[in-house]
């Protein structure tokens, strides 16, 4: 069973690798997984990923891939070769998901499908021409990912329980949009507390600004780990 600290994914949504290293040094061994997104990837994030992996940490590459199958397949293969632990792909269609699975091959890379971003509400989906209710769209995409052979999905805490019921216990649910009680929501729309997410069935939670912008990041992370432990 995963320990509480290993369920906390820190989003390194900072401008430079130097900023990321400073934060990592502050957090020490409190956290087991670090997320490197597009901002940091294009600012020298790959060498940082190597250092994290070599120091025993797991790395979540939040690339949110969506392209033609050939491009997705080859990109996933390259990311798998880097040794990443998790990789995100937009779970919009079966062709994209199947391409990612081919690209993963026999590697240990865990593929996660993005269901619906946690900053989107129904009006935003309607603007995209999607009339399916948001919660049903999340369920639909989770089932697509499960059937394609993905390891899990990224979904809000509001949908975690239904995804667990739909896809079973071996399917990883990673929940972003986490805000401890009293935190600002920022640009997130569908937010939950750490305890609520874990209690609803999430395996991991992704936390960024409530830790990265905290006066004391170590205390903020430790408090969240304690809340995860209590929810377990």
């Amino acid at each position: 069973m995963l320990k509480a600290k290993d369920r906390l994914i820190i989003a390194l949504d900072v401008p430079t690798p130097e900023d990321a290293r400073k934060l990592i040094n502050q957090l020490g061994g409190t956290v087991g997984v670090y997320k490197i997104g597009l901002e940091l990837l294009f600012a020298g994030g790959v060498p940082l990923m190597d250092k994290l992996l070599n120091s025993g940490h797991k790395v979540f590459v939040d690339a949110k891939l969506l392209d033609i199958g050939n491009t997705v397949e080859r990109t996933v293969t390259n990311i798998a070769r880097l040794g990443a632990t998790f990789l995100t792909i937009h779970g919009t269609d079966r062709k994209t998901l199947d391409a990612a699975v081919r690209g993963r091959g026999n590697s240990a890379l865990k593929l996660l499908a993005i269901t619906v971003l946690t900053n989107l509400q129904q009006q935003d989906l309607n603007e995209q021409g999607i009339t399916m209710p948001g919660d049903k769209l999340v369920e639909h995409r989770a089932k697509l990912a499960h059937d394609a052979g993905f390891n899990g999905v990224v979904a809000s805490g509001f949908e975690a329980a239904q995804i667990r019921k739909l896809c079973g216990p071996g399917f990883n649910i990673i929940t972003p949009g986490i805000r401890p009680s009293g935190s600002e929501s920022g640009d997130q729309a569908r937010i939950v507390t750490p305890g609520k997410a874990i209690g609803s069935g999430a395996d991991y939670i992704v936390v960024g600004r409530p830790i990265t912008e905290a006066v004391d990041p170590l205390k903020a992370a430790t408090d969240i780990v304690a809340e995860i432990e209590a929810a377990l």
Side-chain angles (χ1 to χ4, degrees), residues 1-9 202-205 228 232:
M1 182 177 177
L2 286 171
K3 295 179 180 178
K5 78 177 188 67
D6 295 324
R7 295 175 183 271
L8 174 58
I9 300 171
D203 297 288
Y204 300 85
I205 61 171
I228 294 171
L232 292 172

Side-chain angles (χ1 to χ4, degrees), residues 115-116 125 130 132-142:
T115 53
V116 174
L125 297 177
I130 299 172
M132 183 182 291
D135 58 341
K136 297 302 179 184
L137 181 61
V138 169
E139 292 175 20
H140 171 69
R141 289 178 173 174

Side-chain angles (χ1 to χ4, degrees), residues 116-121 138 156 158-159 176-177 188-192:
V116 174
L117 295 173
T118 51
N119 70 325
L120 298 181
Q121 301 186 70
V138 169
S156 89
F158 291 103
E159 294 99 24
Q188 296 287 359
R190 292 160 26 247
I191 61 174
V192 296

Side-chain angles (χ1 to χ4, degrees), residues 202-213:
D203 297 288
Y204 300 85
I205 61 171
V206 182
V207 184
R209 282 165 285 185
I211 291 176
T212 62
E213 297 180 0

Side-chain angles (χ1 to χ4, degrees), residues 27-216:
L27 296 176
T30 309
V31 180
V33 188
Y34 286 97
K35 181 176 81 73
I36 298 178
L38 294 175
E39 177 183 11
L40 193 55
L41 277 174
F42 289 104
V46 173
L48 175 65
M49 180 174 72
D50 289 338
K51 290 182 179 180
L52 283 169
L53 291 168
N54 290 334
S55 64
H57 291 288
K58 294 181 179 179
V59 175
F60 181 135
V61 177
D62 193 17
K64 296 185 176 72
L65 299 177
L66 179 60
D67 211 313
I68 64 170
N70 187 58
T71 299
V72 169
E73 181 177 348
R74 293 186 178 189
T75 303
V76 171
T77 296
N78 285 339
I79 293 173
R81 286 172 180 160
L82 292 173
T85 313
F86 301 100
L87 172 65
T88 53
I89 291 92
H90 274 290
T92 56
D93 63 276
R94 186 61 188 263
K95 284 185 178 179
T96 300
L97 299 173
D98 287 342
V101 170
R102 290 195 301 272
R104 176 184 62 189
N106 296 322
S107 74
L109 177 65
K110 294 183 178 180
L111 298 175
L112 305 173
I114 301 290
T115 53
V116 174
L117 295 173
T118 51
N119 70 325
L120 298 181
Q121 301 186 70
Q122 190 62 49
Q123 179 182 345
D124 303 305
L125 297 177
N126 293 342
E127 288 175 354
Q128 295 178 28
I130 299 172
T131 57
M132 183 182 291
D135 58 341
K136 297 302 179 184
L137 181 61
V138 169
E139 292 175 20
H140 171 69
R141 289 178 173 174
K143 188 66 164 57
L144 275 180
H146 179 271
D147 293 348
F150 266 51
N151 302 96
V153 291
V154 178
S156 89
F158 291 103
E159 294 99 24
Q162 187 58 28
I163 293 171
R164 178 64 65 221
K165 181 178 178 181
L166 185 68
C167 298
F171 196 63
N172 289 308
I173 301 172
I174 288 78
T175 296
I178 299 295
R179 293 293 184 269
S181 298
S183 297
E184 295 290 333
S185 61
D187 57 0
Q188 296 287 359
R190 292 160 26 247
I191 61 174
V192 296
T193 63
K196 177 67 174 176
I198 296 296
S200 297
D203 297 288
Y204 300 85
I205 61 171
V206 182
V207 184
R209 282 165 285 185
I211 291 176
T212 62
E213 297 180 0
V215 174
D216 187 342

